Structures are given as C-alpha cells and as structure tokens.
Amino acid sequence: MSNIISICGSLRKGSYNRMVMNLLPGLAPAGMTIKEAPSFAELPLYNADIQNTLSFPAAVNTLADAIRAADGVIFCTPEYNFSLPGGLKNAIDWISRLPNQPFAAKPVATQSASPGPLGGGRVQYDLRRMMVFLDALTLNKPEIFIGSCAAKFDDKTGALKDDATGKFIAQQLEAFAKFIERHGGKV
Ligand SMILES: Cc1cc2nc3c(=O)[nH]c(=O)nc-3n(C[C@H](O)[C@H](O)[C@H](O)COP(=O)(O)O)c2cc1C
C-alpha cells in the first residue's frame, strides 16, 4: 500500500500537465492511491527575511506536512525556458529551508508534458538535480516525456487520446510502486 501525492508545476486552468496529473489515479497499480498535494499557488516569493522575521507561511507548512506524510511524490510539470516554472521552483525553495527536511529519503517520480517535440526533457534534469541536493530518492526509469501533447489530449475534456502514453505512465507507476517497496523511507 502506498499513498502518493502529485504536484503540478503549472498554475493555468487548461494545463496539459494537470491533465496528465489527473490521469494518475486511474493508471495507478493496485494498492497505490494518488492525490493532489496542497497548492503552492499563493506562496510569496521566497525571501529569507520573511522566514526569519515572520516564520514560514502556513501554506509552506501545509505542503511540507503532506510531503512528509506521503510515501512518495510525483511531479507533473511543464518546462519553462529549459528549466522549472518559477512557481514550482519557489515552492521547492521554501520547502528546502525547513528543518526535518520533507524531501529527505522521499521517493520521487517526475513527468513532463509539452506541445513541443521533446516533452520537457530539460526541466526534468533540473528537477532531478534539485532533488539530489534535498536528498530525495528519484526514480531513474522509466522516464515520462510527453511530447506533442496538444495532439494527445482533448483540450475541452482533458481526456487522453493516445493509448501509448497511458501505457508508459502506467509502467512508470508500476516501477514507482516497486521502487518505494525497495527504498521507501531509507536514506
Ligand atoms: C515562460 C514559458 C517558457 C516556456 N519554455 C518552454 C521550454 O523551454 N520548453 C518547452 O518544451 N516548452 C516551453 N514552453 C511552452 C510550454 O511547454 C507550454 O506552454 C505548455 O502548455 C505549458 O504547460 P501546461 O500546459 O501544463 O501549462 C514555455 C511556455 C512558457 C509560458
């Protein structure tokens, strides 16, 4: 049994990465539940003065507690300018300053979707690098890069129109379940 939370790197309503994230509960193997993490949308820009004078914003602690309580975290994120969207980077920066580091020894899987051909190949490697610093345990393979995503989803309903993409995602979730069994909670 594993309880997973998912974090979408995009804030926009019609987000393709959110469409991917919404598919996850239906593609998860038996015994894995996947729920959306508390939102980072309202976090202020990271500023050490806020942390040091007012302490951490409540939304940071809410997200951090959800990460600590989860058996794993799945990121579904777009690539912005070959890297992470600012809002997601900001949320991870806030989380990274907390004691009892929420990402330490936490199994993490990454996915990205883009209307471009590479499907966000570069953002995932920057995200992985951040997870190295935070001592997370990031699943290596299979990787999920959903290129040309505009043709693979129904913009209006969010339904997936490409069976192969669904199969790849299900394979990653299966691998993630085994990865958590092997490594979950161990540094
Ligand atoms: C600021 C910005 C930078 C972008 N940079 C990239 C990029 O480097 N690589 C890429 O594949 N797409 C890039 N895009 C296009 C996004 O992949 C596209 O807007 C995508 O739909 C965003 O994800 P979402 O649908 O989940 O919101 C960029 C979009 C924005 C707004």
Side-chain angles (χ1 to χ4, degrees):
M1 292 295 288
S2 54
N3 296 309
I4 307 300
I5 58 169
S6 55
I7 297 178
C8 181
S10 174
L11 297 174
R12 75 184 187 96
K13 282 201 199 89
S15 160
Y16 290 111
N17 286 278
R18 175 162 288 278
M19 291 177 200
V20 173
M21 190 180 79
N22 290 342
L23 294 174
L24 300 182
L27 295 172
M32 177 184 276
T33 60
I34 305 178
K35 292 193 179 139
E36 184 177 0
S39 174
F40 61 77
E42 303 304 326
L43 292 186
L45 288 178
Y46 178 79
N47 179 338
D49 292 340
I50 300 177
Q51 178 191 331
N52 295 332
T53 55
L54 301 169
S55 93
F56 287 86
V60 173
N61 283 312
T62 304
L63 178 56
D65 286 344
I67 294 168
R68 288 192 191 103
D71 297 308
V73 178
I74 301 176
F75 288 100
C76 303
T77 184
E79 176 174 282
Y80 279 3
N81 299 309
F82 286 8
S83 190
L84 275 76
L88 178 60
K89 172 76 163 61
N90 185 54
I92 296 172
D93 288 343
W94 270 114
I95 299 282
S96 74
R97 297 292 91 191
L98 284 166
N100 182 16
Q101 177 41 236
F103 279 112
K106 188 67 59 183
V108 165
T110 62
Q111 304 176 352
S112 55
S114 166
L118 298 186
R122 291 147 298 211
V123 60
Q124 289 197 39
Y125 284 94
D126 280 6
L127 181 53
R128 281 175 182 276
R129 191 162 43 164
M130 292 180 74
M131 291 297 117
V132 169
F133 179 72
L134 295 177
D135 239 352
L137 303 172
T138 307
L139 178 74
N140 287 333
K141 289 192 278 188
E143 298 179 298
I144 303 289
F145 303 112
I146 307 172
S148 307
C149 66
K152 294 175 180 163
F153 284 90
D154 183 317
D155 274 346
K156 292 203 176 67
T157 65
L160 180 65
K161 299 190 287 183
D162 182 61
D163 288 348
T165 297
K167 284 191 187 127
F168 287 138
I169 295 172
Q171 281 168 11
Q172 192 202 52
L173 296 178
E174 187 76 48
F176 196 40
K178 290 188 180 134
F179 183 77
I180 291 168
E181 259 174 51
R182 277 202 309 277
H183 303 294
K186 298 188 198 103
V187 184

